[in-house]
Amino acid sequence: MASKIKLIASDMDGTLLDENGQVPPETFDLILALRGRGVRFVASSGRRYDRLCDFFSPVKDRMDFVASNGAQVFADGVQIDREVYSHLAIRRLAKTVAMFPNMHLALFDRTKSYLLDDEDKFVREVDKDLPNVERIYELPSPQVSIIKASIFCDDGNVMDNAYVLQRELGGLFTFAPSGSSYIDAMQPGISKASGIAQVMEYHGIDASEVMAFGDAMNDYEIIRFVGTGCAMANGRPALRAVADRVIGSNVEHAVQSEMRRVLESL
């Protein structure tokens, strides 16, 4: 490694988590050991901050978080950014999604999941586990701070649907396929990369000193941004193509193996 790694950022589903959607237990010891040697660990995920804290409860006070695809950023336990969606943009998104019977919109604030269709239209998948769910028939009021929006595609054709949404609403959102049936509607300029950039600035760390792991298209920006971008063997082909390295799969605990390798190199 040309530069000493000072920060490791990892996606969750399909990356850090095992085939059962759990954090392999050795991960916690690795996070603590790396922190003891001056290397910070950041969970970088489409999941909300509250859900990430549940996953990392043994070590949540010894790590940082880029949650909700960069809309929630925490460093040293301090919230250093929260990006709230424009209510006008959400109205436009809801109106557009309603044009297509195969698409179903879910909105998220800090603690709740709001479904614009009946719950049985959605499939719970990876970071779309829809915690604290509420079926709504009108959009939340402008006073509700929406930090995440996702579209479930019941035909599974996320690439075609993402293209359609980008054509309709490309000035208001960036659409990234996530998992097998969801599309994340991200605010322009807000991504895991923008979140990790804020964590880096907070700690005084350069991009060349950052290693990141991911598997899906909402990891694209961060893999391109950091000094050592690692794609999972089970990741999307486009992500593997632009990554600095392709490692093993999440089933093989490949991220944990890389964390151990960094630790041994210090």
Side-chain angles (χ1 to χ4, degrees):
M1 288 172 287
S3 296
K4 178 188 174 186
I5 299 299
K6 295 183 180 178
L7 188 149
I8 294 174
S10 180
D11 173 52
M12 295 287 283
D13 302 276
T15 303
L16 185 83
L17 303 185
D18 62 20
E19 66 273 25
N20 300 312
Q22 301 297 315
V23 178
E26 70 264 28
T27 311
F28 304 129
D29 289 339
L30 286 166
I31 290 171
L32 294 175
L34 285 162
R35 180 65 181 264
R37 301 295 298 275
V39 180
R40 296 180 174 274
F41 180 81
V42 185
S44 155
S45 177
R47 291 180 183 266
R48 289 186 319 206
Y49 174 67
D50 60 328
R51 305 299 282 176
L52 292 177
C53 285
D54 291 341
F55 273 101
F56 291 100
S57 56
V59 294
K60 65 181 182 180
D61 297 328
R62 302 286 292 163
M63 58 180 287
D64 299 332
F65 296 90
V66 172
S68 302
N69 287 321
Q72 296 175 294
V73 184
F74 288 78
D76 284 340
V78 176
Q79 185 165 17
I80 59 175
D81 191 27
R82 184 190 67 163
E83 297 292 339
V84 176
Y85 284 66
S86 151
H87 185 69
L88 175 61
I90 289 294
R91 284 187 1 227
R92 290 276 306 279
L93 178 63
K95 185 176 181 180
T96 301
V97 169
M99 293 166 51
F100 301 95
N102 58 311
M103 298 190 206
H104 312 282
L105 179 61
L107 303 172
F108 305 83
D109 68 7
R110 188 175 58 85
T111 60
K112 298 189 76 169
S113 307
Y114 301 96
L115 305 185
L116 272 296
D117 266 316
D118 292 337
E119 193 171 346
D120 61 7
K121 296 282 181 66
F122 295 81
V123 172
R124 284 168 163 77
E125 177 185 300
V126 294
D127 61 321
K128 315 301 185 300
D129 49 0
L130 308 177
N132 199 11
V133 69
E134 179 181 332
R135 167 65 161 103
I136 59 174
Y137 297 88
E138 296 180 352
L139 286 177
S141 78
Q143 283 72 42
V144 176
S145 296
I146 298 300
I147 58 171
K148 182 179 175 183
S150 297
I151 299 97
F152 175 70
C153 305
D154 63 26
D155 59 357
N157 198 348
V158 294
M159 299 308 290
D160 284 5
N161 295 331
Y163 178 84
V164 168
L165 292 169
Q166 195 71 42
R167 294 291 298 203
E168 294 287 339
L169 296 168
L172 295 173
F173 298 96
T174 298
F175 295 94
S178 175
S180 62
S181 300
Y182 278 89
I183 300 167
D184 287 336
M186 302 190 296
Q187 302 171 82
I190 305 302
S191 67
K192 293 179 182 180
S194 68
I196 206 69
Q198 293 183 76
V199 175
M200 287 160 45
E201 182 179 2
Y202 181 91
H203 294 305
I205 293 172
D206 187 76
S208 64
E209 301 168 317
V210 181
M211 174 181 279
F213 301 95
D215 73 310
M217 296 316 294
N218 61 357
D219 298 309
Y220 189 93
E221 290 85 357
I222 195 170
I223 293 299
R224 293 287 283 155
F225 174 57
V226 303
T228 308
C230 301
M232 307 302 291
N234 53 284
R236 300 292 300 178
L239 194 72
R240 299 201 306 268
V242 300
D244 298 299
R245 292 174 49 213
V246 177
I247 63 171
S249 73
N250 64 311
V251 175
E252 301 167 323
H253 300 188
V255 172
Q256 288 77 8
S257 295
E258 290 298 316
M259 291 170 68
R260 195 170 293 109
R261 191 175 70 83
V262 171
L263 183 62
E264 291 169 354
S265 74
L266 297 173

